[in-house]
Amino acid sequence: MAKLDVVIFPDERLRQHCKEVTVFDDELKQLAEDMFETMYADDGVGLAAPQVGISKRLVVMEVPFDEEKPEELFKEALVNPVIIKKENPMVSKEGCLSVPDYVAEVERFADVTVKYQTLDGEEKECTAHGLHAVCIQHELDHLDGKLFIDMLSRLKRQMLQKKYTKLKRREHLA
Ligand SMILES: [Zn+2]
């Protein structure tokens, strides 16, 4: 396994519309494993392939089914996931490994049903609630080049863009 580099906003690779996965081979499994390792290393609960610069419809997550029972975890790699039902709007407080040290409130749905394939290509469906549902919505947005900060006001977004561009420049100098 290997930890991968996380792509940081405003990198354009976060804006790609990712490609459907059609080959379910060892390479795909390896990528999912590496994404899990990367997610654990950065203390995330979910990670999407474009966040490591890969244009594939693949996300990994490890998140409780129910926040009241934190030991029962939904640990899964979701291939070609599609939300087929969403209900009950809610406000969620989110962060993202690609937008470090920033948390914002965005509008999501509290209950979603997602259809996806496993790493072996098997079809599955799952209904999720609360944090689990939010995580699915956040990660799936990444596959279409969307970030949670897109839902903020234009002014807030421009401030963020400036802040992260500056940080990036400083990194290059170091
Ligand atoms: Zn994210």
Side-chain angles (χ1 to χ4, degrees), residues 84-105:
I84 52 174
K85 195 166 148 191
K86 44 188 178 185
E87 287 177 308
N88 302 322
M90 66 175 277
V91 172
S92 88
K93 209 173 195 180
E94 294 177 24
C96 178
L97 296 181
S98 293
V99 189
D101 306 317
Y102 188 74
V103 173
E105 285 189 335

CSV table of all heavy atoms in Angstrom, one decimal, residues 84-105:
chain,number,residue,atom,x,y,z
A,84,ILE,N,-29.9,7.5,-6.1
A,84,ILE,CA,-31.2,7.3,-6.8
A,84,ILE,C,-32.4,7.9,-6.0
A,84,ILE,O,-33.5,8.0,-6.5
A,84,ILE,CB,-31.4,5.8,-7.1
A,84,ILE,CG1,-31.3,5.0,-5.9
A,84,ILE,CG2,-30.5,5.4,-8.2
A,84,ILE,CD1,-31.6,3.5,-6.1
A,85,LYS,N,-32.1,8.3,-4.8
A,85,LYS,CA,-33.2,8.9,-4.0
A,85,LYS,C,-32.6,9.8,-2.9
A,85,LYS,O,-31.6,9.4,-2.3
A,85,LYS,CB,-34.0,7.8,-3.3
A,85,LYS,CG,-35.3,8.2,-2.8
A,85,LYS,CD,-36.1,6.9,-2.4
A,85,LYS,CE,-37.1,7.2,-1.3
A,85,LYS,NZ,-37.6,5.9,-0.8
A,86,LYS,N,-33.2,11.0,-2.8
A,86,LYS,CA,-32.7,11.9,-1.7
A,86,LYS,C,-33.9,12.6,-1.1
A,86,LYS,O,-34.8,13.0,-1.8
A,86,LYS,CB,-31.6,12.8,-2.1
A,86,LYS,CG,-31.9,13.5,-3.4
A,86,LYS,CD,-30.6,14.3,-3.8
A,86,LYS,CE,-30.8,15.0,-5.2
A,86,LYS,NZ,-29.6,15.6,-5.7
A,87,GLU,N,-33.9,12.6,0.3
A,87,GLU,CA,-35.1,13.2,1.0
A,87,GLU,C,-34.6,13.9,2.2
A,87,GLU,O,-33.5,13.6,2.8
A,87,GLU,CB,-36.0,12.0,1.5
A,87,GLU,CG,-36.7,11.3,0.4
A,87,GLU,CD,-37.6,10.2,0.9
A,87,GLU,OE1,-37.0,9.3,1.6
A,87,GLU,OE2,-38.8,10.1,0.6
A,88,ASN,N,-35.5,14.8,2.7
A,88,ASN,CA,-35.3,15.5,3.9
A,88,ASN,C,-34.0,16.4,4.0
A,88,ASN,O,-33.0,16.1,4.5
A,88,ASN,CB,-35.2,14.6,5.1
A,88,ASN,CG,-36.5,13.7,5.2
A,88,ASN,OD1,-37.6,14.2,4.9
A,88,ASN,ND2,-36.3,12.4,5.5
A,89,PRO,N,-34.2,17.6,3.4
A,89,PRO,CA,-33.1,18.6,3.4
A,89,PRO,C,-32.6,18.9,4.8
A,89,PRO,O,-33.4,18.9,5.8
A,89,PRO,CB,-33.7,19.9,2.8
A,89,PRO,CG,-35.0,19.4,2.1
A,89,PRO,CD,-35.4,18.2,2.8
A,90,MET,N,-31.3,19.1,4.9
A,90,MET,CA,-30.7,19.4,6.2
A,90,MET,C,-29.4,20.2,6.0
A,90,MET,O,-29.0,20.4,4.8
A,90,MET,CB,-30.2,18.1,6.9
A,90,MET,CG,-29.1,17.4,6.2
A,90,MET,SD,-28.5,15.9,7.1
A,90,MET,CE,-27.3,16.7,8.2
A,91,VAL,N,-28.9,20.9,7.0
A,91,VAL,CA,-27.7,21.6,6.9
A,91,VAL,C,-26.6,20.8,7.6
A,91,VAL,O,-26.8,20.2,8.6
A,91,VAL,CB,-27.9,23.0,7.7
A,91,VAL,CG1,-26.5,23.7,7.8
A,91,VAL,CG2,-28.9,23.8,7.0
A,92,SER,N,-25.5,20.6,6.9
A,92,SER,CA,-24.4,19.9,7.4
A,92,SER,C,-23.1,20.7,7.5
A,92,SER,O,-22.9,21.6,6.6
A,92,SER,CB,-24.2,18.6,6.6
A,92,SER,OG,-23.3,18.8,5.5
A,93,LYS,N,-22.3,20.4,8.4
A,93,LYS,CA,-21.1,21.1,8.6
A,93,LYS,C,-20.0,20.2,8.0
A,93,LYS,O,-19.8,19.1,8.4
A,93,LYS,CB,-20.8,21.3,10.1
A,93,LYS,CG,-20.0,22.5,10.5
A,93,LYS,CD,-20.0,22.7,12.0
A,93,LYS,CE,-19.5,24.1,12.3
A,93,LYS,NZ,-19.4,24.3,13.7
A,94,GLU,N,-19.3,20.7,7.0
A,94,GLU,CA,-18.4,19.8,6.3
A,94,GLU,C,-17.0,20.4,6.1
A,94,GLU,O,-16.8,21.6,6.1
A,94,GLU,CB,-18.9,19.6,4.9
A,94,GLU,CG,-20.2,18.8,4.9
A,94,GLU,CD,-20.8,18.5,3.6
A,94,GLU,OE1,-20.1,18.6,2.5
A,94,GLU,OE2,-22.0,18.3,3.5
A,95,GLY,N,-16.0,19.5,6.0
A,95,GLY,CA,-14.7,19.9,5.6
A,95,GLY,C,-14.3,19.0,4.5
A,95,GLY,O,-15.1,18.1,4.1
A,96,CYS,N,-13.1,19.1,3.9
A,96,CYS,CA,-12.6,18.3,2.8
A,96,CYS,C,-11.1,18.3,2.8
A,96,CYS,O,-10.5,19.3,3.1
A,96,CYS,CB,-13.1,19.0,1.5
A,96,CYS,SG,-12.6,18.2,0.0
A,97,LEU,N,-10.6,17.1,2.6
A,97,LEU,CA,-9.1,16.9,2.6
A,97,LEU,C,-8.5,17.8,1.5
A,97,LEU,O,-7.3,18.1,1.6
A,97,LEU,CB,-8.7,15.5,2.4
A,97,LEU,CG,-9.2,14.5,3.5
A,97,LEU,CD1,-8.7,13.1,3.2
A,97,LEU,CD2,-8.7,15.0,4.9
A,98,SER,N,-9.2,18.2,0.5
A,98,SER,CA,-8.7,19.0,-0.6
A,98,SER,C,-8.8,20.5,-0.3
A,98,SER,O,-8.3,21.3,-1.1
A,98,SER,CB,-9.4,18.7,-1.9
A,98,SER,OG,-9.1,17.4,-2.3
A,99,VAL,N,-9.5,20.8,0.8
A,99,VAL,CA,-9.6,22.2,1.2
A,99,VAL,C,-9.3,22.3,2.7
A,99,VAL,O,-10.1,22.4,3.6
A,99,VAL,CB,-11.1,22.8,1.0
A,99,VAL,CG1,-11.1,24.3,1.2
A,99,VAL,CG2,-11.6,22.5,-0.4
A,100,PRO,N,-8.0,22.1,3.0
A,100,PRO,CA,-7.6,21.9,4.4
A,100,PRO,C,-7.9,23.0,5.3
A,100,PRO,O,-7.9,24.2,4.9
A,100,PRO,CB,-6.0,21.7,4.3
A,100,PRO,CG,-5.7,21.8,2.9
A,100,PRO,CD,-6.9,22.1,2.1
A,101,ASP,N,-8.2,22.7,6.5
A,101,ASP,CA,-8.4,23.7,7.6
A,101,ASP,C,-9.6,24.6,7.3
A,101,ASP,O,-9.5,25.8,7.6
A,101,ASP,CB,-7.2,24.5,7.9
A,101,ASP,CG,-6.0,23.6,8.2
A,101,ASP,OD1,-6.2,22.6,8.9
A,101,ASP,OD2,-4.9,23.9,7.7
A,102,TYR,N,-10.6,24.1,6.7
A,102,TYR,CA,-11.8,24.9,6.4
A,102,TYR,C,-13.1,24.1,6.6
A,102,TYR,O,-13.2,23.0,6.1
A,102,TYR,CB,-11.8,25.5,5.0
A,102,TYR,CG,-12.8,26.5,4.8
A,102,TYR,CD1,-12.7,27.8,5.3
A,102,TYR,CD2,-14.0,26.2,4.1
A,102,TYR,CE1,-13.7,28.7,5.2
A,102,TYR,CE2,-15.0,27.1,3.9
A,102,TYR,CZ,-14.9,28.4,4.5
A,102,TYR,OH,-15.9,29.3,4.3
A,103,VAL,N,-14.0,24.7,7.4
A,103,VAL,CA,-15.3,24.0,7.6
A,103,VAL,C,-16.4,25.0,7.3
A,103,VAL,O,-16.3,26.2,7.5
A,103,VAL,CB,-15.4,23.6,9.1
A,103,VAL,CG1,-16.8,23.0,9.4
A,103,VAL,CG2,-14.3,22.6,9.4
A,104,ALA,N,-17.4,24.5,6.6
A,104,ALA,CA,-18.6,25.4,6.3
A,104,ALA,C,-19.9,24.6,6.3
A,104,ALA,O,-19.9,23.4,6.2
A,104,ALA,CB,-18.4,26.0,4.9
A,105,GLU,N,-20.9,25.3,6.5
A,105,GLU,CA,-22.2,24.7,6.5
A,105,GLU,C,-22.8,24.7,5.1
A,105,GLU,O,-22.8,25.8,4.5
A,105,GLU,CB,-23.2,25.4,7.5
A,105,GLU,CG,-22.8,25.2,8.9
A,105,GLU,CD,-23.8,25.7,9.9
A,105,GLU,OE1,-24.5,26.7,9.6
A,105,GLU,OE2,-23.9,25.2,11.0
